[in-house]
Amino acid sequence: MTVVGQSSIDVAVIGAGPYGLSVAANIGASDRSIRIFGRPLQTWTDAMPAGMKLKSDGFASNLSAPAPGASLAEFCRDRGIPYHDTERPVSLETFVAYGLEFQRRFVPYLETADVQHVERSGDGFRLTVGEGQTLLARCVVLAVGVTHFRVMPKQLMGLPASLVSHSADCGRVDRFAGRNVAILGAGASAIDLAAALIDVGATTTIVARAGSIRFNSEPTGGRPTLLSRFTNPGTPLGPGWRSHFACNMPQMYRQLPDRLRLAILRRHLGPRSAWYLRDKVLSGANVLVAQHLEEAGLAGDHICLKLRDESGSLKSLEVEHVIAATGYWPQIERLHFLDRRLRQAIRHSAGVPILSQYFETSVAGLYATGLTAAGSFGPLMRFVAGADYAARRLSRHLEKARGSRHALVAGARVPQAIRS
Ligand SMILES: Cc1cc2nc3c(=O)[nH]c(=O)nc-3n(C[C@H](O)[C@H](O)[C@H](O)COP(=O)(O)OP(=O)(O)OC[C@H]3O[C@@H](n4cnc5c(N)ncnc54)[C@H](O)[C@@H]3O)c2cc1C
C-alpha cells in the first residue's frame, strides 16, 4: 500500500456526477489543494435507460461553475443542438455530453478511480483509492449520488440476479429483447424503462401499487399569466408553491421537525412521468395498478409474482425477469465504503443523515451533498437543480474554514497522479 504525497490535501471530493463536479469546480476556483475521484457522470451513462429524456427542464439541468458561460443552454448553442429552457426535453445523450465537457473544462484533474474506504485519521481522513493507494485529506465531501441507495422490495431479496434487478442496473435493456419482463413501480424510472423495453420488443408489464400512472401535463407553449404565476409559480422542480419552498428555502426546510422533513422528502413530486411517454407506454405495456406484491418465488427458470389487489383477490404473474423501479432512499448505512465507526458516528434521523447549515455531518470535516443531503435540505437535493446551491454554499464555507484553520494545507490545486 502506498501513501500518495506525504502531506495531506485539503479536500477530497468523492463522486463525479453533477454535484461532485460542481463542488470541485467551485472549490477549485480558489487556490486550495483538492482531489476528486469517480467516473464522470457514471449514474447517467450506466444506470439510466439509453434514449431517455430528462424530466428536468433545460434551465433546471445546469451544473454549477465559478464562471459564466457554463450552462446547458450555452453548451447547446455552441454546438447547434436544439434547446429550449422549458419546451424541449433534453436528451440523456446531450446531458452526458454537457457534463463531460464541463468536467474537461472545470475539473480536468479528476481521477477516475473509485474510493474504496474512508476512515478517520487524526484530525482528518484516510482514503483508500483504486487498487489500494491511500491518501490523507483534511475534509471529505460525499457526492456519491443515488446508486448506493437502491431500494429493493424485501419480497425480491435473495432471488437470483439473472431474474431480478434494480432499475439502476438496467442502463442497457437490449438483453431483454423478446423477453417477458415485469417492472415494479409507477414513477419516472419505471415509465422510462417501460418505454425502453417496448422499443426493444420486450413484453412489458408494469405492476404499480398506486391506483393510476400519473403523467405531467404537456407544456402549452403559452406565457404564464399573472394569475397563474401567483397561484402556480414556476420553479426548477416544476410549478407550485411547495416546489417554490423547496427551491428557495432549503435552510428553512432544515429547521422543520425530523418526521415532517422526511415525510415531505418521500412525498414531494410523487411518482409522475413525462407526458410524451403516455401514449407509448399505455398502449405498449400491460399496466396492473393498485397491486400489492405479496411474494415472489422461482417457477422453473421464470419468476412468479403473487399480487393482491385492493379487493383482496390474489393473482399470479409469471415473467422471465423483474425490474424493481422502486427508487432510492439515503440511508447512511448503505455507504459501505465509509468505515463502520464513521457511519455510526454520523447523526441521523431514521438512518438519513442530519447535516449542518454548511452540509457538514456530525463528523467534523465530513460533508455530504446530493441525495445524501436531501434529508436536511429537501427535495431540491434530489435534482441537478440543487447542485448550484450546494456547491456555492459548501465552497464558501470551506474557504472560510480554511482561513480560520491555519492547519489546513495550502497546496497545489492540480494533484499529482496516484502512484501505485
Ligand atoms: C432514471 C433517473 C432519471 C433521472 N432524471 C433526472 C432528471 O431528469 N433531472 C434531474 O435533475 N435529476 C434526475 N435524476 C436524479 C439524478 O440522479 C440526480 O439529480 C443527479 O444524478 C444528482 O447528481 P449527483 O452528483 O448527486 O449523483 P450522481 O449523478 O449519481 O453521481 C454520483 C457519482 O458518484 C460516483 N461514486 C459513487 N460512489 C463512489 C465512490 N466510492 N468512489 C468514487 N466515485 C463514487 C458515481 O460513480 C457517480 O458518478 C434521475 C435519476 C434517475 C435514477
Side-chain angles (χ1 to χ4, degrees):
M1 204 175 267
T2 310
V3 176
V4 179
Q6 294 307 303
S7 59
S8 74
I9 55 168
D10 272 357
V11 184
V13 178
I14 307 179
Y19 278 77
L21 292 175
S22 296
V23 166
N26 279 275
I27 298 176
S30 60
D31 179 27
R32 69 175 28 246
S33 81
I34 173 175
R35 294 176 70 167
I36 168 169
F37 301 97
R39 284 165 275 172
L41 276 292
Q42 190 195 8
T43 302
W44 298 79
T45 54
D46 296 5
M48 299 188 190
M52 186 189 94
K53 299 229 182 335
L54 269 60
K55 254 65 63 197
S56 50
D57 286 327
F59 85 96
S61 306
N62 293 315
L63 276 66
S64 174
S71 67
L72 177 62
E74 286 154 309
F75 173 82
C76 291
R77 187 199 58 207
D78 293 349
R79 282 155 192 80
I81 299 170
Y83 171 89
H84 190 279
D85 269 350
T86 53
E87 310 255 317
R88 179 182 275 277
V90 179
S91 75
L92 178 59
E93 198 188 357
T94 297
F95 183 74
V96 169
Y98 162 64
L100 295 178
E101 171 61 21
F102 182 99
Q103 180 262 310
R104 284 189 288 270
R105 188 167 157 203
F106 294 101
V107 196
Y109 49 90
L110 170 70
E111 296 169 64
T112 56
D114 283 345
V115 173
Q116 310 293 350
H117 192 69
V118 181
E119 63 190 338
R120 276 284 214 188
S121 174
D123 282 350
F125 303 89
R126 178 188 302 273
L127 284 76
T128 308
V129 179
E131 302 294 302
Q133 303 91 336
T134 64
L135 72 142
L136 302 172
R138 182 77 195 211
C139 301
V140 168
V141 178
L142 301 172
V144 294
V146 299
T147 53
H148 291 278
F149 300 120
R150 298 170 168 89
V151 173
M152 197 67 161
K154 62 178 186 310
Q155 297 88 334
L156 298 181
M157 285 178 181
L159 290 166
S162 57
L163 297 177
V164 171
S165 52
H166 188 273
S167 54
D169 304 312
C170 298
R172 296 219 65 85
V173 295
D174 317 32
R175 65 191 166 112
F176 297 118
R179 299 180 70 198
N180 191 352
V181 181
I183 300 171
L184 294 186
S189 290
I191 302 308
D192 282 334
L193 259 176
L197 288 171
I198 293 166
D199 283 344
V200 298
T203 304
T204 306
T205 304
I206 299 171
V207 179
R209 216 168 32 186
S212 64
I213 309 279
R214 294 164 71 201
F215 293 87
N216 290 324
S217 24
E218 185 172 351
T220 56
R223 291 174 74 83
T225 61
L226 209 55
L227 181 65
S228 75
R229 267 194 223 155
F230 179 73
T231 53
N232 226 6
T235 82
L237 304 190
W241 279 103
R242 285 185 192 176
S243 291
H244 182 81
F245 170 70
C247 290
N248 293 298
M249 291 173 230
Q251 290 295 348
M252 286 226 345
Y253 177 92
R254 255 191 80 248
Q255 308 295 337
L256 298 175
D258 285 3
R259 286 180 62 171
L260 179 59
R261 274 202 329 272
L262 297 186
I264 293 175
L265 185 63
R266 273 190 196 282
R267 285 202 293 263
H268 187 67
L269 298 177
R272 219 175 249 278
S273 302
W275 56 269
Y276 47 84
L277 295 179
R278 177 197 292 267
D279 291 347
K280 176 191 266 191
V281 169
L282 295 186
S283 61
N286 311 312
V287 180
L288 303 175
V289 293
Q291 301 292 328
H292 175 75
L293 176 63
E294 288 275 307
E295 57 177 82
L298 298 179
D301 56 357
H302 283 47
I303 182 158
C304 180
L305 304 179
K306 292 257 187 299
L307 306 173
R308 191 180 291 282
D309 69 16
E310 280 171 337
S311 69
S313 67
L314 209 57
K315 72 156 112 359
S316 297
L317 176 69
E318 225 175 89
V319 292
E320 293 171 85
H321 194 92
V322 180
I323 301 173
T326 36
Y328 306 86
W329 187 248
Q331 298 268 314
I332 196 69
E333 260 309 304
R334 303 293 292 277
L335 297 183
H336 296 149
F337 66 88
L338 292 183
D339 184 68
R340 187 172 48 81
R341 276 161 302 187
L342 203 51
R343 275 181 269 149
Q344 286 171 349
I346 295 173
R347 216 178 121 231
H348 62 85
S349 168
V352 178
I354 296 177
L355 306 182
S356 78
Q357 58 175 320
Y358 298 112
F359 291 83
E360 193 169 17
T361 68
S362 54
V363 174
L366 181 64
Y367 296 82
T369 62
L371 184 59
T372 318
S376 293
F377 291 92
L380 180 62
M381 294 296 128
R382 288 172 44 203
F383 298 91
V384 175
D388 187 57
Y389 178 80
R392 286 180 193 278
R393 193 164 177 87
L394 190 46
S395 60
R396 271 201 304 265
H397 166 71
L398 289 173
E399 193 49 37
K400 273 196 196 141
R402 183 194 198 195
S404 59
R405 279 195 231 141
H406 297 296
L408 284 179
V409 181
R413 174 146 59 97
V414 181
Q416 65 193 103
I418 295 174
R419 291 196 300 258
S420 50

